[in-house]
Amino acid sequence: MDPVLLEDVRVAVYAALASTGRLPADSELARLAGSPARARAAIEQLAEQRAWALGADGEIVLAHPFATRSFGYSVMSDTTLWWGGCAWDSFAIPHLVPDCGPVVVAGACPACDRPLAWRVDTTSPPEGRERAHFLVPAARMWDDVVHTCSNQLLFCDDACIDRWLARTGHPEGYRMDLDTLWRFAAGWYEGRLERGYRRREPADARAYFRQVGLQGPFWGLS
């Protein structure tokens, strides 16, 4: 398919999600692509290129950092309510969406179900003793990206992570504090709303991981 048309569809989807928290209407994408069939083909080809992830029904479920259903986190600005695709994505939205201002990220601890909320902006990390846990190593995150995002979670503290791992039988992943999560989210999706955006190559991704303070083989770092 024409790369220009693919980029038109990609930008239209991201623009709608950024401004409204919702996907554009099917009729809008069909008009843009020339027909419903061409719009469907563009969506599927862009999914193959990892522009987004499709659910079992073939519809877009994740267009990082936005989700089209609940992954456990809501992100609310003064004007817009989004679903965050995971802990990482939820903290990224205020950095990506122009002029959205501070947001409230809300969820619940997966271990004890205590409500959790943070005021997140672009100036400094939120305060709190909460901890994030990522289950799937970076090299395997796209093996099943819906599973991956469903397991990038925020907990009350390390004790709650320990209880959740014991209850679920999951292996230890990677833990980080709110400062690290905020730095990690701040620049990862830079440029994604603009035409010509390109995903980071593995070496660039590893350099970014190192820059924001991530460490070890979980992130492909020595």
Side-chain angles (χ1 to χ4, degrees), residues 54-140:
L54 306 181
D57 59 0
E59 298 304 310
I60 297 169
V61 65
L62 282 166
H64 301 291
F66 311 107
T68 62
R69 64 165 175 82
S70 177
F71 278 76
Y73 299 99
S74 62
V75 182
M76 183 179 68
S77 74
D78 286 343
T79 60
T80 309
L81 180 65
W82 297 274
W83 293 121
C86 57
W88 176 13
D89 285 350
S90 299
F91 273 48
I93 286 174
H95 296 277
L96 178 66
V97 178
D99 303 319
C100 82
V103 302
V104 175
V105 175
C109 176
C112 71
D113 206 35
R114 181 171 75 89
L116 302 173
W118 307 267
R119 181 187 182 279
V120 182
D121 61 26
T122 60
T123 60
S124 60
E127 296 182 359
R129 62 188 179 88
E130 293 85 9
R131 300 273 282 172
H133 182 270
F134 285 34
L135 183 64
V136 180
R140 292 171 38 214

Side-chain angles (χ1 to χ4, degrees), residues 17 26 37 39 73 99 117 119 180 196 212:
L17 286 167
D26 290 344
Y73 299 99
D99 303 319
R119 181 187 182 279
T180 305
V212 299

Side-chain angles (χ1 to χ4, degrees), residues 170-193:
H170 290 315
E172 179 66 61
Y174 190 91
R175 307 184 189 205
M176 66 182 81
D177 58 21
L178 295 182
D179 283 19
T180 305
L181 179 65
W182 183 87
R183 290 196 306 273
F184 184 21
W188 180 252
Y189 294 116
E190 184 177 358
R192 179 155 283 195
L193 303 182

Side-chain angles (χ1 to χ4, degrees), residues 7 9 22 40 48 65 134 174 197 212:
E7 187 66 352
V9 171
R22 301 292 182 268
R40 168 49 47 187
E48 293 172 0
F134 285 34
Y174 190 91
Y197 171 81
V212 299

Side-chain angles (χ1 to χ4, degrees), residues 3-25:
V4 174
L5 174 57
L6 286 176
E7 187 66 352
D8 288 344
V9 171
R10 187 194 71 81
V11 170
V13 167
Y14 272 94
L17 286 167
S19 61
T20 71
R22 301 292 182 268
L23 291 168

Side-chain angles (χ1 to χ4, degrees), residues 112-173:
C112 71
D113 206 35
R114 181 171 75 89
L116 302 173
W118 307 267
R119 181 187 182 279
V120 182
D121 61 26
T122 60
T123 60
S124 60
E127 296 182 359
R129 62 188 179 88
E130 293 85 9
R131 300 273 282 172
H133 182 270
F134 285 34
L135 183 64
V136 180
R140 292 171 38 214
M141 285 181 176
W142 273 90
D143 291 356
D144 182 345
V145 72
V146 173
H147 169 75
T148 295
C149 290
S150 300
N151 288 283
Q152 294 178 342
L153 302 169
L154 278 154
F155 295 79
C156 298
D157 50 29
D158 282 311
C160 273
I161 296 177
D162 292 340
R163 285 195 290 271
W164 180 78
L165 292 174
R167 188 182 75 228
T168 61
H170 290 315
E172 179 66 61

